[in-house]
Amino acid sequence: MTANEDILLRLTPEERAAMKKTLWEETKVNTLACRACPLAATRTKVVFGDGDPDTKLMFIGEGLGADEDTQGLPFVGRAGQLLTQILTAADISRKDVYITNIVKCRPPENRVPTPAETVICDKHLQTQIMLINPALMVLLGNTPARWILQTSEGITKLRGRWFEWRGIAVMPMFHPSYLLRNASSKEGSPKHLTWLDIQEVKRQWDAVKATGSISGIKFG
């Protein structure tokens, strides 16, 4: 056991909560001031994230659109409104989860973040994940799924499957923007599959809230 681990173990729950709050605010300040990649030159606002940092359910998207860049919040445009509808239909409140993106600034013309941009911004994301320490993590779309899971497989093959990542149960799902481009709700359609996926996420989140652990997940 390291000295730091020993200190953490001896902290009271109140002291741990205070330490987390301090580290969270420091991370947010550092992220909002970041100018480490070219996206800083074209952004309007840095979008750190939104929701409950003490949750056990975290959603990670790709990047930002114009609405997010203007408002400084993730998933507030058309895709974000659809995400809210999906969560609400599954009896999940946005305020009870945490939502962020792989990169915290808008790529021009809503393009996919470059590998360099993703690498540079990863320190902010990894700190968020570490401090939140979620039991469940939903990856919305190709970019976060491939980055977190370090795979070349596409979202069509990855979605609907649970993966284990650093002790966290991870579920890739279609990005809401993809669902906007595929309007059909028939059986087997992206919208239908997303409904199945979010219900599985809700089932596991209910298990975590009730027992503190996931229930019966088969990974891979």
Side-chain angles (χ1 to χ4, degrees), residues 125-155:
L125 176 65
Q126 294 300 328
T127 304
Q128 287 177 309
I129 296 172
M130 178 190 70
L131 291 175
I132 292 173
N133 189 27
L136 305 167
M137 202 156 65
V138 177
L139 308 177
L140 298 169
N142 269 319
T143 298
R146 286 174 168 171
W147 178 252
I148 293 294
L149 298 176
Q150 290 296 290
T151 180
S152 60
E153 280 195 297
I155 193 65

Side-chain angles (χ1 to χ4, degrees), residues 34-151:
C34 181
R35 303 196 65 83
C37 86
L39 295 182
T42 57
R43 74 187 181 213
T44 301
K45 290 184 178 179
V46 177
V47 180
F48 184 68
D50 185 47
D52 181 6
D54 293 318
T55 187
K56 288 298 180 181
L57 176 54
M58 187 174 185
F59 288 76
I60 302 176
E62 176 182 286
L64 319 170
D67 293 302
E68 290 77 16
D69 184 50
T70 300
Q71 298 183 42
L73 292 168
F75 285 91
V76 291
R78 290 183 63 220
Q81 292 166 19
L82 179 55
L83 176 61
T84 301
Q85 292 172 14
I86 293 168
L87 296 176
T88 301
D91 196 25
I92 299 172
S93 173
R94 273 190 64 146
K95 67 180 179 61
D96 294 333
V97 305
Y98 197 82
I99 303 174
T100 190
N101 286 290
I102 286 288
V103 295
K104 313 304 185 187
C105 300
R106 182 193 182 193
E109 305 301 322
N110 296 350
R111 62 163 171 75
V112 175
T114 67
E117 292 161 355
T118 304
V119 168
I120 291 170
C121 211
D122 187 59
K123 63 181 180 181
H124 304 307
L125 176 65
Q126 294 300 328
T127 304
Q128 287 177 309
I129 296 172
M130 178 190 70
L131 291 175
I132 292 173
N133 189 27
L136 305 167
M137 202 156 65
V138 177
L139 308 177
L140 298 169
N142 269 319
T143 298
R146 286 174 168 171
W147 178 252
I148 293 294
L149 298 176
Q150 290 296 290
T151 180

